[in-house]
Amino acid sequence: MTPPILQVEGYGKYFQLHEQNKLIPSAHDVSFTVRAGELTALIGPTGAGKSSVLKGIYRTYLPSAGRILYRDAMGHELDLARASEHQILDLRRREIGFVTQFLHCLPRQPTLDVVAQPLFGLGVARPEARQRAADLLSAMSLPERLWSVSPATFSGGERQRVNLARGFIARPRLLLLDEPTASLDPATAECVIRLIEGLKAEGTAMLAIFHHPETTRRLADQVVELAPPPAVEAMLKEIA
Amino acid sequence: MNAMPHTTRGSAYNFGFLDEYAKKEIRRAVLKAIAIPGYQVPYASREMPMGRGFGTGGLQLTLALIGPGEVVKVIDQGADDSVNAVNLRQFIEMTCPGIATTTKTAESTLIQSRHRIPEQPLTATQILVLQVPYPDPLVVVEPSEDKRKVMHGEADYSRLLVKLYEDIVQFDEITISHRYPTRINGHYVIDPSPIPRWDVPRLNDAAALTLFGAGREKKIYAVPPHTRAEPLAFSDVPFRVEDFRDAAGRRRACARCGCTDSFLDEFVGDAGSKTYQCSDSDWCDEQLLQAEHAQGEPA
Amino acid sequence: MNRILEVRGLSRIYGPGCPHCVDATGPEADTNRCPHCGSIVAIHDVSFDLFEGEILGVMGESGSGKSTVVKTLYFDQAPTGGEAVFFDGDTQHELFALNAARQRWLRNHRFGMVYQNPNLGLNFNISAGGNIAERLLMSDLMDYGAIRERAKTLLARTEVLLSRVDDLPKHFSGGMQQRVQIAKALATQPPLLFLDEVTTGLDLSVQARILDLILEIQQELKTAMVVVTHDLGVIRLLTGRAIVMKYGRVIETGLTDQILEDPRHAYTQRLVASAL
């Protein structure tokens, strides 16, 4: 078996809210691995910290505890929890993609450019990047008349497809998916599922949270169940 | 006559009107100006018995440099007989007993001029003093003198060049008719006083020393002999002098002497008709004299 | 990736200064004005690195000193302390150890600045093309035709109508003035650009197009940028990393999305909470 691309060991995230003078745990002692060409699904009740794990790996959250060992394309291993900001930015540009439920893009930017953005960042010529974006969008059956307008006015399903296309386009080695099919109609969801299967076949490692247990069953090679983190008092006792 | 009794007697006023300390200070400034070509040297600029703006800067230079035996010529816009030139010449004659004055460029050793360089090329034994109203070419682009000094120090003249750019954009050519910004010895850009463009190339590599005196602005600067003087221009839009061509494209001639290679003044007659005449009156007289000689000889 | 700028301990105090200035000001003291001598500690001990092609955000409220950071780096103001090294290919420049002429050279050739107020970056009494020409003339391009061509190319790139190249910027709209300013800043293709609240005060739609232009330029020319803004939306859309300032001090630094979603400092938590 090939060594895992990602190895999370004892990840924990606790927010310190100064205003309310509170410590809020969002994930506690999470461990699992993700391998190339496999999809690892995170399951668990609301508040178990599924999104927190994804954000911790992407470093949108600064992990409070644990190690996130990532093996990059060159075979070097580094701890994402401690990597420098520039290392993280570089990995985000080249290797690690994140598809959330939200789409942040420049106001009035045409959809085609929104999707092609990661390729622009990699220095792909604009016409070529746009062509690849167009191919991807038609594969996801987003009507062509929408390509030249901003996704800001799109329906939830349309916007989610744009978001996914942007996450897929640069072919990341590790893709983090946070409920990618949540707001899609069954036909589009099916199309996204097939895209994910395609990426898996190409060797992309994926860590995902799915809304429907059915999707998890279909796509996951490995399921990690998270339990809500214990309350702070309990944790403090544990430490004591 | 009664107003200047002491001068003629030479008792109450010093030779050259200025006291020796004032002359010394000006001479020091002149030496510095020659040592740093194009640099505006500040000096005290004494009160003169005439209003600022009537050539007091040039006059102080003349009076500080003049010595017995000097032959002085004073011109205003090329003419020896205009009111300003006559007044200055009389003042010099009164305050400098023993010197001579002339209208002939060739005979003079020191020429004080307003707005022209004589047509006759000057020699190494002559000094040209130009009266300057505004010494700093940067004043049109930068109101703060402190900042202008820094700009001069760093030879930062891009904003002057932008003026030229804007000129070409608007008029397809550089329209500056006089006070054309000119770079001296590859560094400082000077305002060469309101001489026409015609005269600017004559500052370059000149045999004579040219001194500039601004009385109101209290500055002296110099273009030493055989120093580079380059009018600012673009590599593809070169500097050009006035061409004096008529509608048919022919070079106009002086109506008086017939000269076709001098700077011409335009006179508009009562009927609106235009005539052209040499701006340099001595030059015009010389041309006439030569023409008479040429006519007289065969006869 | 290589570093292009290294800033260490940058400080700027307005006023006489006294031994208590630093201790008596800052986020904890809740002021930037020294109670002992009345000096304003605009910035104190600001340090950061900027990499080639990177966009760094400097965020904070007015009075946080964020503009002072870029103004000192662009030599608009001299710092009272600290160092900055600009890495330009094989050459390193100690910015504050250079003489005025060298500083001016860097400013004209290797840096660009876009101010919030176009009045500071543009001469309103010369044409849009003339403004760009000025910067080209500073870098010793002396060919009128070439200057004009380059000015037109830059204005076309920043989407200013070419029919307006000879018009005065004072007759332009605010958004158009910013475009001319950006074109002027880019004239010498500098590897480092400072942007000081460039979209503040513009209509939302105009803002969006300016931001889009800035991103395009960054991707096309790989220009490194320091973007100063109080607008969290601008920070989120443009920058990869950001520093948060308050009363002249850097109180937090990190990846932009991390600062916005997982702010650690109490002040940043308040700032982000109030905006989202």
Side-chain angles (χ1 to χ4, degrees):
Chain A
M1 223 157 128
T2 52
I5 276 191
L6 187 72
Q7 199 171 341
V8 176
E9 295 173 357
Y11 169 81
K13 176 63 190 169
Y14 320 103
F15 292 106
Q16 192 185 0
L17 297 186
H18 296 275
E19 202 83 319
Q20 300 153 37
N21 204 11
K22 262 188 197 164
L23 195 68
I24 311 254
S26 98
H28 179 63
D29 198 19
V30 178
S31 302
F32 59 89
T33 58
V34 182
R35 289 170 198 283
E38 289 187 6
L39 188 143
T40 301
L42 298 177
I43 59 167
T46 308
K50 303 187 294 289
S51 291
S52 166
V53 172
L54 295 189
K55 286 181 175 176
I57 293 166
Y58 201 62
R59 268 278 289 275
T60 296
Y61 288 172
L62 206 59
S64 313
R67 297 202 297 170
I68 302 171
L69 301 175
Y70 175 77
R71 186 174 300 280
D72 71 11
M74 309 293 288
H76 300 303
E77 195 178 68
L78 77 163
D79 183 355
L80 299 182
R82 278 165 193 81
S84 77
E85 286 158 11
H86 286 107
Q87 279 175 318
I88 295 290
L89 285 174
D90 200 48
L91 284 176
R92 284 180 181 185
R93 198 162 28 239
R94 296 172 198 287
E95 301 196 11
I96 302 178
F98 193 4
V99 176
T100 64
Q101 299 160 62
F102 308 100
L103 178 62
H104 290 296
C105 58
L106 283 172
R108 309 205 172 207
Q109 193 177 33
T111 294
L112 212 51
D113 284 7
V114 171
V115 173
Q117 198 68 44
L119 294 179
F120 294 166
L122 285 172
V124 176
R126 280 175 182 249
E128 193 202 324
R130 290 199 179 103
Q131 184 55 51
R132 279 164 66 181
D135 293 347
L136 195 54
L137 286 173
S138 59
M140 296 174 84
S141 56
L142 188 82
E144 195 170 337
R145 67 185 159 78
L146 296 178
W147 295 359
S148 57
V149 289
S150 161
T153 55
F154 289 8
S155 71
E158 287 162 346
R159 207 182 309 183
Q160 189 55 8
R161 270 177 280 172
V162 172
N163 208 3
L164 281 162
R166 182 161 72 165
F168 293 166
I169 194 159
R171 297 294 154 107
R173 289 180 71 238
L174 172 64
L175 189 55
L176 310 171
L177 300 162
D178 192 350
E179 305 212 3
T181 54
S183 47
L184 302 182
D185 61 81
T188 317
E190 183 57 33
C191 146
V192 168
I193 287 169
R194 265 191 249 114
L195 260 167
I196 293 174
E197 284 171 339
L199 288 171
K200 243 167 71 169
E202 284 176 30
T204 306
M206 279 177 276
L207 179 64
I209 303 165
F210 293 115
H211 190 63
H212 298 290
E214 174 56 30
T215 319
T216 307
R217 265 194 292 282
R218 245 183 96 178
L219 289 170
D221 299 282
Q222 201 195 147
V223 175
V224 178
E225 181 161 9
L226 304 186
V232 179
E233 296 75 33
M235 268 196 289
L236 288 174
K237 255 180 235 155
E238 205 175 293
I239 296 165
Chain B
M1 291 290 136
N2 238 358
M4 288 284 176
H6 307 298
T7 315
T8 41
R9 270 187 248 127
S11 54
Y13 284 103
N14 192 31
F15 175 85
F17 182 76
L18 297 171
D19 62 82
E20 291 305 313
Y21 293 106
K23 289 183 190 174
K24 231 180 210 172
E25 195 239 344
I26 291 168
R27 288 177 197 142
R28 281 201 197 101
V30 167
L31 286 177
K32 184 168 179 180
I34 293 169
I36 316 170
Y39 174 71
Q40 299 167 50
V41 184
Y43 77 112
S45 190
R46 301 304 196 276
E47 280 300 326
M48 299 300 286
M50 66 190 70
R52 302 272 199 211
F54 284 86
T56 54
L59 184 62
Q60 287 177 80
L61 277 172
T62 299
L63 296 175
L65 296 171
I66 204 165
E70 209 80 59
V71 185
V72 179
K73 171 181 163 80
V74 183
I75 46 175
D76 176 5
Q77 305 250 37
D80 297 84
D81 55 359
S82 75
V83 179
N84 185 252
V86 170
N87 282 339
L88 287 172
R89 187 185 308 113
Q90 283 180 352
F91 183 80
I92 294 165
E93 283 167 347
M94 276 192 283
T95 56
C96 307
I99 62 106
T101 57
T102 179
T103 61
K104 297 206 181 310
T105 304
E107 288 173 8
S108 64
T109 57
L110 184 75
I111 303 167
Q112 179 171 341
S113 171
R114 174 176 176 265
H115 303 4
R116 274 309 312 273
I117 294 176
E119 298 287 349
Q120 163 94 42
L122 302 182
T123 67
T125 56
Q126 294 176 303
I127 293 176
L128 175 65
V129 171
L130 284 167
Q131 299 167 203
V132 179
Y134 307 104
D136 197 335
L138 287 173
V139 78
V140 290
V141 295
E142 177 53 63
S144 151
E145 178 160 11
D146 276 358
K147 286 187 185 157
R148 291 201 299 268
K149 279 184 173 165
V150 173
M151 290 166 80
H152 278 297
E154 297 177 359
D156 172 15
Y157 297 111
S158 51
R159 280 152 76 185
L160 274 182
L161 288 159
V162 172
K163 279 263 168 215
L164 305 188
Y165 167 93
E166 295 280 282
D167 235 20
I168 305 173
V169 165
Q170 263 189 299
F171 306 108
D172 287 321
E173 61 172 332
I174 297 168
T175 56
I176 302 169
S177 61
H178 55 277
R179 295 177 61 199
Y180 197 100
T182 303
R183 192 186 284 263
I184 306 304
N185 202 29
H187 187 104
Y188 291 104
V189 170
I190 62 162
D191 180 328
S193 85
I195 55 173
R197 277 185 290 170
W198 179 268
D199 286 344
V200 172
R202 271 117 55 70
L203 285 170
N204 185 48
D205 196 29
L209 165 66
T210 307
L211 294 172
F212 298 83
R216 188 181 47 216
E217 303 291 330
K218 303 184 167 72
K219 295 282 162 51
I220 287 170
Y221 49 103
V223 179
H226 303 294
T227 301
R228 268 183 301 145
E230 302 153 304
L232 293 187
F234 293 101
S235 54
D236 54 341
V237 185
F239 171 83
R240 281 202 329 231
V241 298
E242 297 83 351
D243 63 8
F244 297 109
R245 270 197 276 259
D246 60 17
R250 269 193 315 262
R251 174 54 152 96
R252 289 194 164 95
C254 170
R256 184 160 167 265
C257 71
C259 177
T260 56
D261 53 7
S262 68
F263 186 80
L264 299 176
D265 283 340
E266 183 182 278
F267 299 92
V268 181
D270 293 338
S273 61
K274 288 175 182 169
T275 52
Y276 296 87
Q277 199 174 311
C278 287
S279 136
D280 183 337
S281 57
D282 175 57
W283 175 261
C284 201
D285 290 344
E286 284 297 317
Q287 302 303 304
L288 273 178
L289 220 64
Q290 279 176 25
E292 273 167 35
H293 275 300
Q295 273 178 349
E297 265 161 29
Chain C
M1 284 236 292
N2 298 314
R3 246 181 321 178
I4 189 164
L5 189 65
E6 182 186 293
V7 178
R8 292 290 176 269
L10 194 64
S11 301
R12 176 77 174 101
I13 296 175
Y14 296 96
C18 71
H20 310 290
C21 278
V22 169
D23 295 334
T25 59
E28 279 78 39
D30 206 32
T31 181
N32 58 4
R33 184 190 178 85
C34 175
H36 302 277
C37 68
S39 299
I40 301 290
V41 180
I43 50 175
H44 177 71
D45 198 21
V46 172
S47 302
F48 61 87
D49 289 335
L50 182 71
F51 280 52
E52 279 174 3
E54 180 189 24
I55 307 188
L56 175 80
V58 181
M59 58 197 269
E61 300 163 315
S62 51
S64 64
K66 57 192 191 306
S67 287
T68 307
V69 172
V70 289
K71 281 181 178 150
T72 48
L73 293 171
Y74 192 62
F75 307 120
D76 276 345
Q77 300 173 356
T80 42
E83 289 166 17
V85 182
F86 170 56
F87 299 86
D88 191 12
D90 296 333
T91 345
Q92 289 185 19
H93 303 277
E94 278 265 9
L95 292 188
F96 307 125
L98 299 171
N99 67 28
R102 288 297 299 166
Q103 290 186 341
R104 194 175 63 83
W105 187 90
L106 276 181
R107 202 177 129 107
N108 293 340
H109 292 73
R110 309 302 288 157
F111 298 167
M113 173 69 120
V114 183
Y115 296 93
Q116 174 181 359
N117 183 351
N119 236 325
L120 292 174
L122 297 176
N123 184 338
F124 276 11
N125 296 316
I126 58 178
S127 66
N131 267 285
I132 294 167
E134 181 180 350
R135 209 164 141 80
L136 294 169
L137 286 161
M138 283 174 186
S139 49
D140 305 320
L141 180 59
M142 290 301 298
D143 185 291
Y144 172 80
I147 288 169
R148 202 153 165 76
E149 273 319 297
R150 180 107 184 90
K152 283 182 174 172
T153 310
L154 284 159
L155 288 173
R157 180 66 197 81
T158 52
E159 293 164 35
V160 176
L161 286 177
L162 282 189
S163 57
R164 307 209 62 183
V165 60
D166 297 329
D167 293 349
L168 299 182
K170 67 177 162 201
H171 301 313
F172 289 5
S173 67
M176 185 98 94
Q177 287 171 348
Q178 287 311 53
R179 285 166 190 284
V180 176
Q181 247 206 114
I182 293 171
K184 181 175 185 176
L186 291 175
T188 52
Q189 290 184 289
L192 179 55
L193 203 57
F194 301 110
L195 303 163
D196 189 1
E197 300 270 14
V198 282
T199 55
T200 304
L202 298 176
D203 288 347
L204 278 179
S205 62
V206 178
Q207 266 193 31
R209 291 180 54 197
I210 300 269
L211 296 178
D212 188 28
L213 175 66
I214 291 168
L215 266 192
E216 263 180 55
I217 286 161
Q218 185 257 342
Q219 283 162 354
E220 228 174 85
L221 306 174
K222 301 272 170 260
T223 314
M225 305 186 192
V226 179
V227 175
V228 171
T229 180
H230 70 278
D231 185 334
L232 298 189
V234 170
I235 288 277
R236 183 190 282 281
L237 290 169
L238 286 186
T239 68
R241 290 190 311 128
I243 62 180
V244 184
M245 294 189 63
K246 191 184 187 197
Y247 289 129
R249 316 298 155 96
V250 174
I251 55 168
E252 183 152 1
T253 150
L255 296 165
T256 299
D257 55 332
Q258 181 248 300
I259 285 185
L260 294 177
E261 296 198 31
D262 181 15
R264 283 156 294 159
H265 195 280
Y267 170 72
T268 322
Q269 289 181 353
R270 268 205 307 281
L271 193 72
V272 170
S274 63
L276 294 179

